[in-house]
């Protein structure tokens, strides 16, 4: 069975790998370069943090995040890339004045019935869990079960897997149109038994007749080199005005993010956003004042009205979209659930496969 996949972010790549393992003949398309440099995946911080995101994420996104944490090790093992998964944990820290906000976070998790493991940070364990940092942020909890993954390194490993297994990857190949069993590019028309679209905000117009609107939410982050900073876990600073996260990337490199604005502007990061991120980070650790700015990243998170991801069909094409700020966190589960659906449907030769699981039913968009 021949499958054409449009969009080579993390989700598109995971679907390609999963279907290849099930003996499908897969072709992957992307309008960007071989590194998918302009995709949301390549610009993301790469946190696998379902509990940390649960304050704002929907129930379905949280459930998908928990499933994905269990799936990542097996996926990375198949790519010979187990070391990419770094189980650093996440520390939620607050100033004394923001103590109530930290308590509100835990109260919300409890009201939602979300079970979690969190260790209170004190002077005896702070260095073990976090490293050296300013004692101004005196209140906090550590989530030991969360992790990170460098999306750019993952993309490189995927490229190697594609080459080794002769999976066709047509990068720098913009898809002009797609419909049932057909993908059209400037190079011609190509026929498939199944067409899947994971283009994110690039597929926005395809949802105009659906029950939910797809929009882009702008996110900005920066990558800095800070030789004077020594933290080894992900930091989430609870701040009354500008909550931020700090993600260690090795060799004293840190990602600091992320602003969030309801706009689809893709211009470079604004001075206001840059000051927000760096002022809070520098208050947390003065070592960031001596940091060198290596890179700024801006992209649009594809987000539905409900803030949940969805499957959708139009003109015989399957769309998977709306991952919002949870792309890396939930992509393995979305890919696995969708590929299970495709495989069962093929084996049963049915046009309308009965949806059995609650999670599958919640994912379908009408």
């Amino acid at each position: 069975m021949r499958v054409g996949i449009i969009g080579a972010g993390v989700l598109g790549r995971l679907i390609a790998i999963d279907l290849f393992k099930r003996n499908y003949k897969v072709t992957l398309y992307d309008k960007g370069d071989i590194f998918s440099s302009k995709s949301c995946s390549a610009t993301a911080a790469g946190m696998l943090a379902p509990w940390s995101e649960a304050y704002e994420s929907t129930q379905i996104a949280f459930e998908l995040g928990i499933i994905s944490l269990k799936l990542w090790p097996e996926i990375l093992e198949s790519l010979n890339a187990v070391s990419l998964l770094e189980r650093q944990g996440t520390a939620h820290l607050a100033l004394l004045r923001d103590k109530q906000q930290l308590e509100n976070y835990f109260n919300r998790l409890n009201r939602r019935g979300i079970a979690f493991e969190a260790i209170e940070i004190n002077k005896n364990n702070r260095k073990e869990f976090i490293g050296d940092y300013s004692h101004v942020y005196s209140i906090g909890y550590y989530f030991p079960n969360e992790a990170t993954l460098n999306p750019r390194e993952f993309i490189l490993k995927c490229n190697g897997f594609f080459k080794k297994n002769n999976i066709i990857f047509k990068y720098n190949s913009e898809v002009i149109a797609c419909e049932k069993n057909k993908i059209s590019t400037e190079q011609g028309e190509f026929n498939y038994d199944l067409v899947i679209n994971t283009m994110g905000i690039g597929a926005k117009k395809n949802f105009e007749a659906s029950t939910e609107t797809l929009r882009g939410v702008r996110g900005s982050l920066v990558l800095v080199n800070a030789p004077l900073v020594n933290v080894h876990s992900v930091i989430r600073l609870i701040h009354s005005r500008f909550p931020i996260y700090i993600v260690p990337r090795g060799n004293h490199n840190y990602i600091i993010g992320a602003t969030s604005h309801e706009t689809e502007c893709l211009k470079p990061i604004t001075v206001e956003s840059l000051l927000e991120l760096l002022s809070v980070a520098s208050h947390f650790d003065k070592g960031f004042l001596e940091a060198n700015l290596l890179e700024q990243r801006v992209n649009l998170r594809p987000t539905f009205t409900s803030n949940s991801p969805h499957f959708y069909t139009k003109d015989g094409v399957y769309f998977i979209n709306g991952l919002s700020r949870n792309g890396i966190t939930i992509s393995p589960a979305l890919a696995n659930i969708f590929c299970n659906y495709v495989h069962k449907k093929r084996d049963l030769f049915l046009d309308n496969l009965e949806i059995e699981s609650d999670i599958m039913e919640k994912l379908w968009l009408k």
Side-chain angles (χ1 to χ4, degrees), residues 195-298:
V195 176
I196 305 166
N197 188 310
T198 67
M199 284 176 60
I201 198 63
K204 179 179 179 178
K205 65 180 182 180
N206 293 282
F207 295 91
E208 292 174 351
S210 72
T211 53
E212 290 200 32
T213 303
L214 185 71
R215 71 190 192 281
V217 178
R218 176 185 165 103
S220 307
L221 56 80
V222 294
L223 175 67
V224 302
N225 179 257
L228 300 181
V229 177
N230 292 283
V231 295
H232 51 255
S233 68
V234 174
I235 307 296
R236 287 184 179 244
L237 299 180
I238 311 298
H239 192 277
S240 56
R241 293 184 62 195
F242 309 124
I244 70 167
Y245 59 71
I246 301 169
V247 182
R249 274 288 174 258
N251 299 317
H252 294 283
N253 291 333
Y254 298 90
I255 289 177
I256 306 172
T259 61
S260 184
H261 296 99
E262 289 285 344
T263 175
E264 295 187 357
C265 172
L266 273 173
K267 291 182 179 179
I269 190 169
T270 63
V271 171
E272 180 182 24
S273 294
L274 189 61
L275 288 174
E276 286 177 15
L277 296 174
L278 296 182
S279 62
V280 177
S282 298
H283 188 226
F284 165 70
D285 192 316
K286 288 183 172 51
F288 281 115
L289 290 171
E290 301 297 325
N292 297 110
L293 184 61
L294 302 180
E295 187 180 345
Q296 64 89 26
R297 304 177 189 172
V298 174

Side-chain angles (χ1 to χ4, degrees), residues 30-103:
D30 197 275
K31 68 178 181 179
D33 59 28
I34 194 171
F35 307 111
S36 303
S37 302
K38 294 185 179 180
S39 68
C40 281
S41 298
T43 55
M47 293 176 289
L48 311 179
W51 292 280
S52 292
E53 291 291 335
Y55 184 79
E56 295 183 342
S57 67
T58 61
Q59 184 62 25
I60 187 70
F62 171 73
E63 293 172 9
L64 291 168
I66 297 298
I67 296 170
S68 293
L69 265 179
K70 298 174 182 177
L71 292 174
W72 269 117
E74 181 181 347
I75 293 167
L76 293 173
E77 185 175 0
S78 69
L79 300 177
N80 193 27
V82 174
S83 62
L84 292 187
L85 185 65
E86 299 191 49
R87 298 189 179 277
Q88 301 157 304
T90 303
H92 290 244
L93 301 174
L95 301 168
L96 183 60
R97 73 182 186 200
D98 297 321
K99 179 180 179 181
Q100 187 59 51
Q101 284 184 261
L102 187 60
E103 291 178 355

Side-chain angles (χ1 to χ4, degrees), residues 103-145:
E103 291 178 355
N104 289 344
Y105 167 79
F106 286 104
N107 289 337
R108 178 165 172 76
L109 264 59
N110 286 323
R111 285 197 303 271
R112 293 181 60 183
I114 293 175
F116 59 90
E117 179 184 355
I119 303 169
E120 187 171 4
I121 296 168
N122 56 51
K123 64 181 181 180
N124 296 319
N125 63 23
R126 70 171 70 203
K127 191 166 186 177
E128 174 190 355
F129 291 150
I130 303 171
D132 295 318
Y133 67 99
S134 168
H135 294 181
V136 174
Y137 282 81
S138 57
I139 302 168
Y141 290 86
Y142 177 75
F143 286 73
N145 297 320

